[in-house]
Amino acid sequence: TAASTVSALLVGRVVSGVAFGFYSTAVNVHLAECAAPASRGALLTLPQVAVSSGIALSYLYSVIVILWGGGFRAMLAASSVMSVGVAFSVWLMPESPRWLLQEGRGEDAKEALCQLRGGPTKAVELEWSELASSTRRSEVASAGDKGGRSVGKGGWGLHALFRERSVVRSLAVCCTLQALQQLSGINAIIYFTPQVLQEAGTCSMFTTLLPSLRRHPSACSLLATLASYLPKLPAILLAMYLVDRVGRRMLLLTMMPPLAGSLAALAVSLSLPQSCWYRSQMALLSLSVYGIFFVLSLGPMPNMITGELLPTDARGAGMSVSVGVQWVLSSLVSVSFPILCSSIGTGPTFMCYSAIMACGWFFVLLCLPETSGVSLESLQLLEKEKERKRTATLTKRCKRCKARA
């Protein structure tokens, strides 16, 4: 906010970007480890609620700042206030019981679990027994592993994350989901929606209703962006309701086809001639529908499933790798979008995103397990059992091939 040179502004952006990278990793791991199985999906949707409502507020605040003649410093100052509030609220949070157990602090872990569940009850005792027995199994496995996991405190390092086949498979699924999220074009839409709607002629709809906006084209395009973004907010609340009832996998399989369809409709609207009377309305509606189905599917699911699918001693490192894939793809999409628009056109670019979503639907159908309503420890056991069966099947096939040879 106080930067006086471009270099100082870039340094501030780098520092805030690194901080947000740590924050986005820690939040999802902490929520996954602290939430009860029955409400884990709803709680893991909360970061998406915060992000989407924050973006909507930033659009509205930017319109107000532009109309009042303010600059970028006023915009950045608002986010600084929110960051201070978050920093103070962190001190009120209990630590993850699973992390405390992994660190050998059993009494603190049990106290944290009781605090999270509202006191010592029979259900809490059962959950505690499952947590403690899972930790003991993990310690035994660590002690018997001579070349992978570090024994004792600290869990896995990145070097050991790839040494167990079931974890590698789970990590590959999580990273692919993160890649699909970004290749849906979400950050291209967030960053470039004002320009896309300007190209579609949507701003003329708002200048007709509010003639004073003709003097502020930037405010007009941001207002159009806000109008396309607002339907996302009630859709996120619907996602919170559905995710633990319908299931993660089924929600993705149901919502990804209309997500791909909305991208295709946006591509078609931008390919229509400028004289077409419904071009701008179709673009605005397509963006609104896209936002709704994004938050019902690929918005919250990648981080949610990453926090659930990876085992406790690999969750932190795995989440870091998964979120790293997310941010690398986010940067690539953001950089490549204007290049693709200038080379093949805006409409064909969105059609490419739509085709990727269609391929992603088959990936979810074939590769993604259901994680809702199951404790994290049970998920670990299920994944190891699946991997054991896959290994046994491959061994049998190899023996048959050798016998035939």
Side-chain angles (χ1 to χ4, degrees):
T1 304
S4 56
T5 63
V6 175
S7 299
L9 186 63
L10 288 175
V11 169
R13 288 287 292 159
V14 169
V15 171
S16 63
V18 170
F20 188 77
F22 281 109
Y23 178 79
S24 59
T25 300
V27 164
N28 290 290
V29 171
H30 189 76
L31 283 174
E33 293 186 346
C34 291
S39 59
R40 193 172 58 232
L43 287 174
L44 283 167
T45 310
L46 284 175
Q48 184 68 40
V49 175
V51 169
S52 297
S53 56
I55 291 172
L57 286 172
S58 69
Y59 282 139
L60 179 61
Y61 182 69
S62 298
V63 170
I64 294 170
V65 168
I66 290 171
L67 292 177
W68 283 0
F72 76 93
R73 297 181 194 279
M75 298 178 187
L76 294 177
S79 60
S80 303
V81 173
M82 298 296 290
S83 301
V84 171
V86 170
F88 279 108
S89 67
V90 168
W91 294 100
L92 304 175
M93 294 166 49
E95 187 53 85
S96 160
R98 289 174 171 85
W99 181 83
L100 289 170
L101 266 176
Q102 190 178 333
E103 293 294 300
R105 296 162 58 183
E107 289 301 318
D108 292 338
K110 191 170 185 179
E111 184 181 339
L113 184 64
C114 290
Q115 184 180 351
L116 287 164
R117 302 293 183 262
T121 62
K122 188 174 286 187
V124 171
E125 288 297 328
L126 288 172
E127 186 175 358
W128 169 253
S129 299
E130 186 178 6
L131 277 176
S133 61
S134 174
T135 303
R136 283 193 294 271
R137 285 194 300 269
S138 181
E139 287 173 353
V140 170
S142 295
D145 187 357
K146 302 300 182 184
R149 273 176 264 188
S150 57
V151 180
K153 296 181 181 181
W156 283 20
L158 280 174
H159 67 283
L161 183 60
F162 303 97
R163 292 195 180 182
E164 191 168 319
R165 195 174 295 173
S166 62
V167 180
V168 172
R169 187 181 293 273
S170 296
L171 183 63
V173 169
C174 297
C175 290
T176 305
L177 284 175
Q178 297 283 16
L180 286 172
Q181 182 195 67
Q182 296 305 313
L183 293 173
S184 71
I186 180 60
N187 278 309
I189 285 175
I190 290 174
Y191 299 149
F192 297 103
T193 294
Q195 292 91 323
V196 170
L197 290 177
Q198 219 164 19
E199 181 184 333
T202 308
C203 293
S204 60
M205 295 166 51
F206 290 87
T207 53
T208 303
L209 294 171
L210 298 169
S212 60
L213 288 175
R214 290 173 183 166
R215 292 175 296 169
H216 304 282
S218 298
C220 183
S221 60
L222 283 171
L223 196 61
T225 303
L226 178 62
S228 70
Y229 203 87
L230 285 177
K232 260 189 178 184
L233 303 182
I236 301 172
L237 300 179
L238 178 61
M240 290 182 69
Y241 176 79
L242 291 176
V243 70
D244 287 311
R245 291 166 174 81
V246 177
R248 287 72 154 142
R249 183 173 180 273
M250 184 54 66
L251 207 55
L252 281 169
L253 290 174
T254 305
M255 301 301 173
M256 283 181 71
L259 179 70
S262 63
L263 285 167
L266 179 61
V268 170
S269 69
L270 293 170
S271 302
L272 292 171
Q274 292 279 356
S275 57
C276 184
W277 64 270
Y278 57 84
R279 185 174 189 257
S280 58
Q281 291 91 331
M282 186 176 176
L284 186 62
L285 180 62
S286 299
L287 279 171
S288 299
V289 172
Y290 169 86
I292 291 170
F293 286 105
F294 178 81
V295 297
L296 285 168
S297 56
L298 285 172
M301 295 301 173
N303 284 337
M304 183 186 303
I305 291 170
T306 302
E308 295 176 324
L309 205 55
L310 295 171
T312 302
D313 49 3
R315 191 170 292 121
M319 181 65 79
S320 299
V321 173
S322 176
V323 172
V325 170
Q326 180 191 82
W327 286 111
V328 168
L329 266 294
S330 170
S331 301
L332 288 176
V333 169
S334 304
V335 170
S336 65
F337 181 76
I339 298 171
L340 287 171
C341 289
S342 61
S343 58
I344 65 174
T346 310
T349 301
F350 282 113
M351 194 61 79
C352 291
Y353 296 149
S354 177
I356 293 171
M357 290 302 97
C359 296
W361 185 88
F362 287 100
F363 169 80
V364 172
L365 179 67
L366 298 173
C367 302
L368 184 66
E370 184 55 74
T371 60
S372 62
V374 184
S375 71
L376 298 181
E377 288 68 34
S378 298
L379 281 171
Q380 294 172 32
L381 293 175
L382 287 171
E383 287 303 305
K384 286 181 179 178
E385 180 62 21
K386 286 180 184 177
E387 190 58 42
R388 188 189 66 77
K389 289 180 179 178
R390 288 190 194 104
T391 304
T393 302
L394 286 173
T395 304
K396 286 180 182 178
R397 287 178 181 173
C398 289
K399 286 180 178 177
R400 286 175 188 171
C401 291
K402 286 179 180 179
R404 288 174 186 173

